[in-house]
Amino acid sequence: MKRRDFIRQTGLFTTGLLLHQQILQAAVLDEEKKNISVAVIGCGDRGNGLSFVLKEMPTEFTLKTVCDVLPFRLDQAKMINKANNLKYETDYRKVLDDKKIDAVIIAVPLYLHYEIASAAIKAGKHVYLEKTMTYNAEQALDLVNLMKQHPKQVLQVGHQYRYT
């Protein structure tokens, strides 16, 4: 096994373990909720990788929607979805308007992190936000303050390959 493949696979594995724990703790806030409906916003390498992790935990998570502005990324996601049971969107705001979605994974370019994460929090979603949290410290502090206004929601920042 090549070093790069090993790092990628162990990173996905550990991200999955920790993502599982953090978002699952969010479900404790709603004790009757047994399965968390998730949307992935950003279908690049990280978004697709985390989609695979979610699919390995079907009793805890159900991937409902994937979203990307690039048509070829959505086409890649469609090829991965062999069961053909996902909804595909090109506008993240439609995902956030969907009342059936409990949590979102945001795996978009950094300059969009703050915009999408703040909109997701305001929409009442739990958020797993890929690293780096925001473009600058001011945006990060704004997100922290926004989360203080929504104490029943969870904001988890991912740091792939760093958890171990």
Side-chain angles (χ1 to χ4, degrees):
M1 176 180 281
K2 293 181 181 174
R3 182 175 181 261
R4 183 172 296 194
D5 292 335
F6 174 77
I7 291 171
R8 183 178 305 129
Q9 289 176 355
T10 56
L12 283 174
F13 175 73
T14 54
T15 299
L17 290 175
L18 289 160
L19 171 67
H20 172 255
Q21 291 302 317
Q22 292 296 323
I23 293 183
L24 206 53
Q25 286 176 359
V28 172
L29 298 173
D30 182 1
E31 293 185 19
E32 293 186 21
K33 187 90 176 153
K34 300 288 189 240
N35 189 285
I36 300 170
S37 298
V38 181
V40 174
I41 301 173
C43 297
D45 290 339
R46 293 304 309 146
N48 283 337
L50 291 169
S51 295
F52 278 119
V53 171
L54 290 175
K55 287 183 173 265
E56 292 175 3
M57 297 178 278
T59 58
E60 291 92 358
F61 303 103
T62 301
L63 181 59
K64 296 280 190 181
T65 306
V66 292
C67 177
D68 204 297
V69 296
L70 299 173
F72 79 93
R73 293 284 193 202
L74 284 179
D75 289 341
Q76 289 173 337
K78 288 176 184 176
M79 290 185 341
I80 293 169
N81 180 28
K82 297 192 184 350
N84 202 20
N85 59 351
L86 294 180
K87 187 175 176 184
Y88 300 95
E89 293 290 350
T90 56
D91 186 344
Y92 75 87
R93 291 170 289 226
K94 289 181 181 178
V95 174
L96 300 181
D97 288 341
D98 187 342
K99 301 297 181 204
K100 296 177 185 172
I101 301 295
D102 302 313
V104 294
I105 293 174
I106 300 172
V108 297
L110 176 59
Y111 74 94
L112 293 170
H113 281 199
Y114 176 76
E115 173 187 331
I116 297 173
S118 60
I121 294 164
K122 291 173 185 173
K125 310 297 183 200
H126 300 290
V127 176
Y128 180 88
L129 179 60
E130 266 303 336
K131 66 123 179 122
T132 304
M133 181 178 177
T134 57
Y135 191 75
N136 58 42
E138 182 180 325
Q139 290 176 344
L141 292 172
D142 284 348
L143 278 185
V144 169
N145 288 329
L146 184 58
M147 284 305 299
K148 288 178 182 176
Q149 298 169 24
H150 302 277
K152 292 188 176 188
Q153 290 169 238
V154 173
L155 170 64
Q156 168 70 31
V157 179
H159 293 281
Q160 75 256 20
Y161 310 124
R162 301 286 187 253
Y163 283 125
T164 55

